[in-house]
Amino acid sequence: MTELLNAMPDLPLLLKLALLALPMLLNLWGIWHAFARRAYNPMLGTVWLCVCVFLPVLGGLAYLLFGRVAMNNAVKAAKEDASA
């Protein structure tokens, strides 16, 4: 029981680190996802890369909410054009 109580003061530090790491990971994922799908629509991919790079936290969040869907639609459209 005392070990558990002694570990409690470390919890806020770990929580702070997790809260700091989440936006970084979200932003890195947005950059990677946009870069990986840039071949299907180069203009759209480049715009989202710039958004994620120049607006770090907001860019990653915006890409998650809006850009991912737009890039996936571009991939689907490119695959449909290639198969037609």
Side-chain angles (χ1 to χ4, degrees), residues 9-60:
D10 294 339
L11 184 63
L13 178 62
L14 293 175
L15 185 61
K16 289 178 186 177
L17 290 175
L19 289 175
L20 288 174
L22 184 64
M24 289 188 303
L25 291 175
L26 182 64
N27 208 41
L28 289 174
W29 176 80
I31 291 169
W32 172 79
H33 195 264
F35 184 76
R37 284 153 178 76
R38 196 174 66 177
Y40 297 104
N41 189 339
M43 177 75 89
L44 185 62
T46 303
V47 167
W48 278 111
L49 279 172
C50 290
V51 169
C52 288
V53 169
F54 294 116
L55 300 171
V57 176
L58 296 176

